[in-house]
Amino acid sequence: MLVIVGLLTSFLSFLYVIAPSIRKFFAGGVCRSNVQLPGKVVVITGANTGIGKETARELARRGARVYIACRDVLKGESAASEIRADTKNSQVLVRKLDLSDTKSIRAFAEGFLAEEKQLHILINNAGVMMCPYSKTADGFETHLGVNHLGHFLLTHLLLERLKESTPSRVVNLSSVLHYVGKIRFHDLQGEKHYSRGLAYCHSKLANVLFTRELARRLQGTGVTTYAVHPGVVSSELVRHSFLLCLLWRIFSPFVKSAREGAQTSLHCALAEGLEPLNGKYFSDCKRTWVSARGRDNKTAERLWNVSCELLGIQWE
């Protein structure tokens, strides 16, 4: 046992010695766009922490009017205060948005539409991961309800404003774990079989399919949309899994920082000439391969229709 502990300690020590070189390798792509955003309006969900916060910081630095849409308003105000001080941009605002409650989503959208006549960038960043089985206020399985249906409804409610502000963009955060996901229409709410790890993967596949179908329906409108894998990022997303929290702590030198994880979201929000790649999936600031399930147009269309039925909306 002592030998094993000694070997493990030596191995971890070696990893930490070479960590700077490895971190540089895993840091991934960097958003190279120099686009400035004075007069532009941005909404970012879950921007009170992690990737969303760093995305908000950079867009505020470029002069945008940024709405931090989050459940924890106090935490949101703390993040906004920090960003305002850092960027010298006073136009960083916080509004209540609970993606697990369609009433909250509708209230946020109603308030935003009353305040703003334009919306140029919507970044659907918020998410949950590895939650024990639970349901949202509307009875949806939590991963499906928050990660997919919540953003689906929010985008629907804000779409006309996006169309009025073209060229405009919708960025949906997904994950490489969409490769593991399936859209199980016979058990969409996980009531017959539930795995909290797979539930996250299923919801990330839903994000990819939503992006694909949304792009198809928005052709010619001036609104484009992109799905993003931010990379393996040190964030609060893993808080529901003790094992992942432990692994993230051990391997923290090798995972992306929140700022590094925000780069692909920024690239898809800002890069010029990206319109021909409408509906595509990005990682490390470049288009990358999507799973076969993520390219299934029939599943994408069916998921769209089922999502509308679950939310009680019509979206042609």
Side-chain angles (χ1 to χ4, degrees), residues 15 32 47 53 55 67 88 91 110 149 203 215 219 240 244 247 272 278 284 287 293:
L15 286 180
R32 304 291 183 186
K53 180 180 174 182
T55 304
Y67 282 82
K88 306 300 186 287
Q91 299 298 297
E110 183 179 352
L149 291 173
S203 71
Q219 286 179 357
H240 292 292
L244 284 181
L247 289 173
E272 296 175 292
N278 185 24
D284 286 333
R287 180 187 174 185
R293 293 190 186 101

Side-chain angles (χ1 to χ4, degrees), residues 5-315:
V5 171
L7 288 172
L8 181 59
T9 302
S10 298
F11 176 66
L12 290 175
S13 298
F14 170 71
L15 286 180
Y16 275 75
V17 168
I18 64 172
S21 298
I22 296 178
R23 283 208 78 253
K24 188 175 180 181
F25 174 79
F26 282 108
V30 176
C31 176
R32 304 291 183 186
S33 173
N34 294 316
V35 169
Q36 297 300 305
L37 301 171
K40 303 297 185 183
V41 180
V42 178
V43 169
I44 311 174
T45 67
N48 57 330
T49 187
I51 296 170
K53 180 180 174 182
E54 294 307 314
T55 304
R57 189 193 307 274
E58 182 58 31
L59 297 179
R61 183 174 285 118
R62 292 171 186 248
R65 180 174 170 89
V66 178
Y67 282 82
I68 293 175
C70 60
R71 183 176 56 182
D72 189 335
V73 174
L74 288 178
K75 201 168 184 178
E77 290 291 357
S78 176
S81 178
E82 178 188 321
I83 293 169
R84 286 192 292 262
D86 184 32
T87 64
K88 306 300 186 287
N89 181 347
S90 62
Q91 299 298 297
V92 181
L93 309 170
V94 180
R95 297 293 182 266
K96 172 81 172 181
L97 172 66
D98 184 350
L99 288 161
S100 69
D101 185 346
T102 58
K103 289 182 180 178
S104 176
I105 299 169
R106 291 182 180 278
F108 168 82
E110 183 179 352
F112 175 83
L113 294 173
E115 279 188 86
E116 294 289 346
K117 299 305 179 187
Q118 292 186 306
L119 175 58
H120 302 94
I121 302 171
L122 169 62
I123 301 181
N124 291 320
N125 166 85
V128 294
M129 182 181 188
M130 299 285 287
C131 299
Y133 188 80
S134 58
K135 291 188 176 183
T136 68
D138 302 275
F140 308 134
E141 187 278 314
T142 298
H143 293 89
L144 176 74
V146 173
N147 296 352
H148 170 59
L149 291 173
H151 284 129
F152 187 96
L153 178 59
L154 179 66
T155 306
H156 167 68
L157 295 172
L158 299 181
L159 188 59
E160 288 307 311
R161 194 64 91 239
L162 285 160
K163 288 180 177 178
E164 293 165 0
S165 311
T166 56
S168 54
R169 295 183 181 183
V170 178
V171 179
N172 296 316
L173 266 73
S174 180
S175 168
V176 69
L177 290 175
H178 84 271
Y179 273 84
V180 185
K182 296 180 180 179
I183 304 301
R184 304 166 66 247
F185 288 107
H186 67 286
D187 189 25
L188 208 56
Q189 307 293 347
E191 293 174 327
K192 297 178 182 177
H193 174 74
Y194 182 75
S195 161
R196 60 184 186 172
L198 287 176
Y200 175 76
C201 301
H202 301 334
S203 71
K204 294 295 100 179
L205 175 59
N207 295 150
V208 171
L209 292 169
F210 170 47
T211 303
R212 189 177 187 87
E213 183 65 10
L214 181 63
R216 185 183 71 81
R217 291 171 182 254
L218 291 179
Q219 286 179 357
T221 65
V223 184
T224 53
T225 182
Y226 311 93
V228 165
H229 167 56
V232 181
V233 179
S234 178
S235 74
E236 295 180 4
L237 189 62
V238 298
R239 64 188 179 276
H240 292 292
S241 170
F242 172 78
L243 178 59
L244 284 181
C245 287
L246 180 62
L247 289 173
W248 256 238
R249 185 173 293 275
I250 292 172
F251 293 101
S252 59
F254 317 109
V255 301
K256 290 183 179 183
S257 66
R259 182 176 179 276
E260 291 164 345
Q263 295 304 304
T264 306
S265 294
L266 291 167
H267 174 78
C268 289
L270 298 170
E272 296 175 292
L274 215 59
E275 288 77 13
L277 298 178
N278 185 24
K280 303 307 180 186
Y281 172 72
F282 287 75
S283 178
D284 286 333
C285 298
K286 58 183 182 292
R287 180 187 174 185
T288 193
W289 195 249
V290 72
S291 72
R293 293 190 186 101
R295 302 192 304 272
D296 190 325
N297 291 330
K298 289 184 178 179
T299 300
E301 184 176 10
R302 184 180 177 190
L303 178 63
W304 182 285
N305 293 332
V306 169
S307 299
C308 287
E309 290 173 12
L310 290 170
L311 292 165
I313 61 175
Q314 290 186 335
W315 190 357

